[in-house]
Every structure is written in C-alpha cells, then in structure tokens.
Amino acid sequence: MDQPAARDIDSVRHFNRFYTRRIGVLHEGLLASEFSLAEVRVLYELAHRRDCVAGDLAQALSLDSGYLSRILAGFERDGLITRGRGETDARQRPLALTARGKAAIVPLEKRSQAEVALMMRPLSPSARSRLLGAMTAIESILEPPATAGAPFVLRAPRPGDMGWVIAAHGELYWREYGWDERFEVLVARIAADFADRHDPAREQCWIAEQDGRNVGSVFLMRQSATVAKLRLLIVHPEARGTGLGKHLVDQCIHFARGCGYRTITLWTQQN
C-alpha cells in the first residue's frame, strides 16, 4: 500500500487542529465542567452501557488500562460510580453510575447538545446535510465494518439518491414479496416528505455505498420529542451478509442518542 503524501498528512493534521479547537476539547475542563475529555467520555459510556466492566471501557475508548484505572479510582472516590462485587479481578467487576454520577452527566449532555446546536444553527439545511454526510464518511472510512468483501461507506443523500431509494424498494419488494406499485408510491411519499420537511438536526438519511454503487439506505425520522421512527431500511441482495443492515441500524441508534431520543420504533408494512 502506498505511503500517504506529506501534503496529505499535513492536511489531516490541519483538520485535527481545527476541529479540536472548534469543539473545545483543548479547554482545561470540557463543557465548562471540572472533567477532562477522557473523563467525560468514560461517564458517557457508563451512562449508556449495561453490565459494563473496565476492560470493555478500555477497548471501546482505546484508553490505556492504567490511565482508565486512575480515572475510575477518582470517580469511585468522589462517589460517582460503584463497583459490583463477587469477582476477584477488579477489571471484571461491573461498573455503574451512582445517583450522583447520573446527576453529573445530565448537564454535560445538555451542554454538549446546546453547543452542537449553536454550531449548526447558522448553517443552511444543505450545509448541515453536507456536514453530517462528511462526518459519517470520515467515520465509515477510518473505522470500516469488519466484514468480508469490499467495505461500504455511509453518506448523506445526493441528487438522485431519493429516486434510487424508491426504485430499489419497489423492485426488491416486487421480486421478493410480490408487492405492486402501490408500495413504491408509499415509499415515494415518505421520501418526498423527508426531502421537503426534515429537520437535519433531528432527522437523517444515510445511503450505503459499496464500490461506487448504492447498496442500502435508512431514514431516521421524528415521531415526537422523545421518539424517533426508523424507516426505509433496505439492503441490496448483493450486500447481504456483510453486516450492513446492523451498521445502518447502529448509525441510527448513535444519532438518536445524540439527539436525545429515548425510543426508536421500526416502520413496517404488511402485505
């Protein structure tokens, strides 16, 4: 594999400096708190994981086990976490936030959402879509799913993609279930409604691309302030068995959590 050019390395480093400054991770306390970036990430993971142990945290956050151990010891000393009993290995004892720990993470989540909203507010809907699509592309490229075959990339929709979503649903459901054009019309209505009225800060569509071809899609749409609806999830037959469906759903879950949704419902149809 070719080595990256020096100018490309400089470009990535320039972006890293820009983005860390833009999101405020260089401040002594993240989100106007007494916690560092690593400490906030540990608190976040503990708030959103069940039966979590130190080894899981170290792997999920790519943290040195010794560094993580010191963070957890400090949290335990401050009454933010508790450790389960019954295991001799401290790394395998389940961790959980105390009431004090849960109270500490709530304002951090709210501040984070407010800061991101403030950053995105001046952007037009198309600019927001481009921004989110670029972020998704970066994440998918740098951490592609561990599956066989060519890696796929999740990105924001481009002109022509809504037509592909409609046609792909119509053809696939006709071939596999015998559904007629009425289902394709229904899909078209959903896609048109999304394109006309969606809120980029609370709703998103991802197109899965593999070797330059569209092979999947999923939409996350608002149902209420706390409930999101997963719609138009499709995986082309050639991409089945690669983990793409799970990856699309995981992307929705990750986005929904960041938006403050508490529940995701799945849109289904019966013949």
mmCIF file of all heavy atoms in Angstrom, residues 1 35 55-56 59 68-69 73 78 92 110-111 121 146 154 185 193 200 207 213 233 237 249 268:
data_model
loop_
_atom_site.group_PDB
_atom_site.id
_atom_site.type_symbol
_atom_site.label_atom_id
_atom_site.label_comp_id
_atom_site.label_asym_id
_atom_site.label_seq_id
_atom_site.Cartn_x
_atom_site.Cartn_y
_atom_site.Cartn_z
ATOM 1 N N MET A 1 0.853 -1.196 0.000
ATOM 2 C CA MET A 1 0.000 0.000 0.000
ATOM 3 C C MET A 1 0.889 1.247 0.000
ATOM 4 O O MET A 1 1.886 1.317 0.716
ATOM 5 C CB MET A 1 -0.906 -0.001 1.236
ATOM 6 C CG MET A 1 -1.922 1.130 1.242
ATOM 7 S SD MET A 1 -3.076 1.008 2.650
ATOM 8 C CE MET A 1 -3.936 -0.503 2.186
ATOM 9 N N PHE A 35 -14.374 18.150 34.528
ATOM 10 C CA PHE A 35 -13.930 16.887 33.944
ATOM 11 C C PHE A 35 -13.128 17.111 32.657
ATOM 12 O O PHE A 35 -13.424 18.013 31.877
ATOM 13 C CB PHE A 35 -15.132 16.000 33.625
ATOM 14 C CG PHE A 35 -15.976 15.660 34.816
ATOM 15 C CD1 PHE A 35 -17.262 16.163 34.937
ATOM 16 C CD2 PHE A 35 -15.487 14.837 35.817
ATOM 17 C CE1 PHE A 35 -18.053 15.847 36.027
ATOM 18 C CE2 PHE A 35 -16.260 14.519 36.916
ATOM 19 C CZ PHE A 35 -17.543 15.027 37.030
ATOM 20 N N GLY A 55 -12.537 -3.490 31.337
ATOM 21 C CA GLY A 55 -11.935 -3.955 30.088
ATOM 22 C C GLY A 55 -12.729 -3.507 28.870
ATOM 23 O O GLY A 55 -12.148 -3.147 27.844
ATOM 24 N N ASP A 56 -14.055 -3.521 28.974
ATOM 25 C CA ASP A 56 -14.900 -3.050 27.868
ATOM 26 C C ASP A 56 -14.663 -1.571 27.592
ATOM 27 O O ASP A 56 -14.602 -1.134 26.436
ATOM 28 C CB ASP A 56 -16.373 -3.279 28.190
ATOM 29 C CG ASP A 56 -16.727 -4.753 28.294
ATOM 30 O OD1 ASP A 56 -15.998 -5.565 27.697
ATOM 31 O OD2 ASP A 56 -17.713 -5.074 28.974
ATOM 32 N N GLN A 59 -11.323 -0.893 25.854
ATOM 33 C CA GLN A 59 -11.362 -1.251 24.435
ATOM 34 C C GLN A 59 -12.210 -0.273 23.639
ATOM 35 O O GLN A 59 -11.815 0.153 22.544
ATOM 36 C CB GLN A 59 -11.904 -2.668 24.284
ATOM 37 C CG GLN A 59 -11.916 -3.159 22.843
ATOM 38 C CD GLN A 59 -12.361 -4.610 22.741
ATOM 39 O OE1 GLN A 59 -12.804 -5.204 23.716
ATOM 40 N NE2 GLN A 59 -12.263 -5.177 21.551
ATOM 41 N N LEU A 68 -7.103 4.500 32.566
ATOM 42 C CA LEU A 68 -8.518 4.300 32.880
ATOM 43 C C LEU A 68 -8.696 3.933 34.346
ATOM 44 O O LEU A 68 -9.644 4.396 35.001
ATOM 45 C CB LEU A 68 -9.102 3.214 31.987
ATOM 46 C CG LEU A 68 -10.553 2.810 32.274
ATOM 47 C CD1 LEU A 68 -11.493 4.001 32.097
ATOM 48 C CD2 LEU A 68 -10.983 1.653 31.382
ATOM 49 N N SER A 69 -7.817 3.103 34.863
ATOM 50 C CA SER A 69 -7.915 2.700 36.269
ATOM 51 C C SER A 69 -7.836 3.899 37.197
ATOM 52 O O SER A 69 -8.572 3.980 38.191
ATOM 53 C CB SER A 69 -6.803 1.697 36.597
ATOM 54 O OG SER A 69 -6.865 1.302 37.953
ATOM 55 N N ALA A 73 -10.759 5.130 39.662
ATOM 56 C CA ALA A 73 -10.484 5.268 41.100
ATOM 57 C C ALA A 73 -10.921 6.644 41.594
ATOM 58 O O ALA A 73 -11.487 6.782 42.695
ATOM 59 C CB ALA A 73 -8.999 5.040 41.368
ATOM 60 N N ASP A 78 -14.923 9.951 44.492
ATOM 61 C CA ASP A 78 -15.860 11.079 44.515
ATOM 62 C C ASP A 78 -17.324 10.641 44.579
ATOM 63 O O ASP A 78 -18.219 11.481 44.508
ATOM 64 C CB ASP A 78 -15.651 11.949 43.271
ATOM 65 C CG ASP A 78 -14.286 12.632 43.267
ATOM 66 O OD1 ASP A 78 -13.695 12.778 44.359
ATOM 67 O OD2 ASP A 78 -13.812 13.004 42.175
ATOM 68 N N GLN A 92 -13.005 -7.036 35.943
ATOM 69 C CA GLN A 92 -14.220 -7.736 35.562
ATOM 70 C C GLN A 92 -15.404 -7.431 36.475
ATOM 71 O O GLN A 92 -16.467 -8.030 36.333
ATOM 72 C CB GLN A 92 -13.966 -9.248 35.551
ATOM 73 C CG GLN A 92 -12.901 -9.683 34.565
ATOM 74 C CD GLN A 92 -13.214 -9.229 33.144
ATOM 75 O OE1 GLN A 92 -14.349 -9.336 32.694
ATOM 76 N NE2 GLN A 92 -12.218 -8.717 32.436
ATOM 77 N N LYS A 110 -26.614 17.949 28.167
ATOM 78 C CA LYS A 110 -27.393 19.107 27.721
ATOM 79 C C LYS A 110 -26.483 20.186 27.140
ATOM 80 O O LYS A 110 -26.801 20.790 26.113
ATOM 81 C CB LYS A 110 -28.215 19.666 28.880
ATOM 82 C CG LYS A 110 -29.365 18.769 29.313
ATOM 83 C CD LYS A 110 -30.180 19.401 30.433
ATOM 84 C CE LYS A 110 -31.369 18.536 30.815
ATOM 85 N NZ LYS A 110 -32.162 19.116 31.931
ATOM 86 N N ARG A 111 -25.341 20.438 27.794
ATOM 87 C CA ARG A 111 -24.404 21.451 27.279
ATOM 88 C C ARG A 111 -23.836 21.018 25.939
ATOM 89 O O ARG A 111 -23.659 21.839 25.027
ATOM 90 C CB ARG A 111 -23.280 21.677 28.276
ATOM 91 C CG ARG A 111 -23.690 22.444 29.533
ATOM 92 C CD ARG A 111 -22.538 22.520 30.511
ATOM 93 N NE ARG A 111 -23.012 22.741 31.866
ATOM 94 C CZ ARG A 111 -22.326 22.411 32.966
ATOM 95 N NH1 ARG A 111 -21.133 21.846 32.845
ATOM 96 N NH2 ARG A 111 -22.821 22.642 34.163
ATOM 97 N N ARG A 121 -26.552 25.995 13.965
ATOM 98 C CA ARG A 121 -27.675 26.903 13.724
ATOM 99 C C ARG A 121 -27.453 27.835 12.529
ATOM 100 O O ARG A 121 -28.383 28.050 11.736
ATOM 101 C CB ARG A 121 -27.964 27.707 14.992
ATOM 102 C CG ARG A 121 -29.268 28.521 14.925
ATOM 103 C CD ARG A 121 -29.530 29.172 16.282
ATOM 104 N NE ARG A 121 -29.661 28.158 17.326
ATOM 105 C CZ ARG A 121 -29.303 28.345 18.593
ATOM 106 N NH1 ARG A 121 -28.759 29.487 18.968
ATOM 107 N NH2 ARG A 121 -29.470 27.383 19.474
ATOM 108 N N ALA A 146 -15.951 -4.668 10.133
ATOM 109 C CA ALA A 146 -15.099 -5.840 9.942
ATOM 110 C C ALA A 146 -15.905 -6.937 9.254
ATOM 111 O O ALA A 146 -16.409 -7.872 9.880
ATOM 112 C CB ALA A 146 -14.565 -6.330 11.276
ATOM 113 N N LEU A 154 -21.101 4.926 4.533
ATOM 114 C CA LEU A 154 -22.385 5.579 4.757
ATOM 115 C C LEU A 154 -22.209 7.067 4.526
ATOM 116 O O LEU A 154 -21.263 7.672 5.029
ATOM 117 C CB LEU A 154 -22.894 5.327 6.176
ATOM 118 C CG LEU A 154 -23.086 3.873 6.601
ATOM 119 C CD1 LEU A 154 -23.819 3.820 7.937
ATOM 120 C CD2 LEU A 154 -23.825 3.080 5.554
ATOM 121 N N VAL A 185 -45.290 3.731 -4.474
ATOM 122 C CA VAL A 185 -45.888 5.061 -4.297
ATOM 123 C C VAL A 185 -45.797 5.491 -2.839
ATOM 124 O O VAL A 185 -45.493 6.653 -2.537
ATOM 125 C CB VAL A 185 -47.355 5.054 -4.776
ATOM 126 C CG1 VAL A 185 -48.048 6.357 -4.383
ATOM 127 C CG2 VAL A 185 -47.418 4.865 -6.285
ATOM 128 N N ASP A 193 -41.661 13.480 1.635
ATOM 129 C CA ASP A 193 -41.926 14.167 2.893
ATOM 130 C C ASP A 193 -40.624 14.468 3.621
ATOM 131 O O ASP A 193 -40.439 15.560 4.167
ATOM 132 C CB ASP A 193 -42.837 13.308 3.766
ATOM 133 C CG ASP A 193 -43.176 13.989 5.083
ATOM 134 O OD1 ASP A 193 -43.814 15.056 5.051
ATOM 135 O OD2 ASP A 193 -42.795 13.464 6.144
ATOM 136 N N PRO A 200 -32.624 18.637 9.782
ATOM 137 C CA PRO A 200 -31.328 17.958 9.770
ATOM 138 C C PRO A 200 -30.731 17.719 11.159
ATOM 139 O O PRO A 200 -29.915 16.821 11.330
ATOM 140 C CB PRO A 200 -30.435 18.919 8.958
ATOM 141 C CG PRO A 200 -31.377 19.711 8.141
ATOM 142 C CD PRO A 200 -32.606 19.873 8.976
ATOM 143 N N ILE A 207 -27.162 6.833 3.038
ATOM 144 C CA ILE A 207 -27.061 5.972 1.864
ATOM 145 C C ILE A 207 -25.780 5.153 2.009
ATOM 146 O O ILE A 207 -24.712 5.704 2.287
ATOM 147 C CB ILE A 207 -27.003 6.794 0.569
ATOM 148 C CG1 ILE A 207 -28.260 7.672 0.421
ATOM 149 C CG2 ILE A 207 -26.834 5.869 -0.641
ATOM 150 C CD1 ILE A 207 -29.552 6.901 0.279
ATOM 151 N N ARG A 213 -21.407 2.019 -5.853
ATOM 152 C CA ARG A 213 -22.809 1.720 -6.119
ATOM 153 C C ARG A 213 -23.615 1.806 -4.829
ATOM 154 O O ARG A 213 -23.148 1.405 -3.757
ATOM 155 C CB ARG A 213 -22.966 0.313 -6.707
ATOM 156 C CG ARG A 213 -22.188 0.065 -7.970
ATOM 157 C CD ARG A 213 -22.541 -1.293 -8.581
ATOM 158 N NE ARG A 213 -22.461 -2.367 -7.604
ATOM 159 C CZ ARG A 213 -21.350 -2.999 -7.267
ATOM 160 N NH1 ARG A 213 -20.188 -2.617 -7.808
ATOM 161 N NH2 ARG A 213 -21.373 -3.981 -6.400
ATOM 162 N N LEU A 233 -35.498 1.187 5.650
ATOM 163 C CA LEU A 233 -34.261 0.406 5.776
ATOM 164 C C LEU A 233 -34.244 -0.653 4.687
ATOM 165 O O LEU A 233 -35.161 -1.473 4.583
ATOM 166 C CB LEU A 233 -34.192 -0.250 7.158
ATOM 167 C CG LEU A 233 -33.059 -1.273 7.372
ATOM 168 C CD1 LEU A 233 -31.697 -0.593 7.248
ATOM 169 C CD2 LEU A 233 -33.218 -1.944 8.731
ATOM 170 N N PRO A 237 -29.543 -7.137 -2.191
ATOM 171 C CA PRO A 237 -29.133 -8.546 -2.038
ATOM 172 C C PRO A 237 -27.628 -8.767 -2.138
ATOM 173 O O PRO A 237 -27.078 -9.620 -1.433
ATOM 174 C CB PRO A 237 -29.890 -9.238 -3.177
ATOM 175 C CG PRO A 237 -31.124 -8.425 -3.358
ATOM 176 C CD PRO A 237 -30.694 -6.996 -3.115
ATOM 177 N N VAL A 249 -28.539 0.322 11.189
ATOM 178 C CA VAL A 249 -29.341 0.491 12.403
ATOM 179 C C VAL A 249 -28.505 1.115 13.514
ATOM 180 O O VAL A 249 -28.967 2.013 14.234
ATOM 181 C CB VAL A 249 -29.925 -0.859 12.853
ATOM 182 C CG1 VAL A 249 -30.610 -0.728 14.216
ATOM 183 C CG2 VAL A 249 -30.924 -1.377 11.826
ATOM 184 N N THR A 268 -42.978 -0.721 9.696
ATOM 185 C CA THR A 268 -43.146 -1.957 8.924
ATOM 186 C C THR A 268 -44.438 -1.906 8.143
ATOM 187 O O THR A 268 -45.341 -1.122 8.437
ATOM 188 C CB THR A 268 -43.152 -3.201 9.831
ATOM 189 O OG1 THR A 268 -44.247 -3.082 10.765
ATOM 190 C CG2 THR A 268 -41.847 -3.318 10.617
#
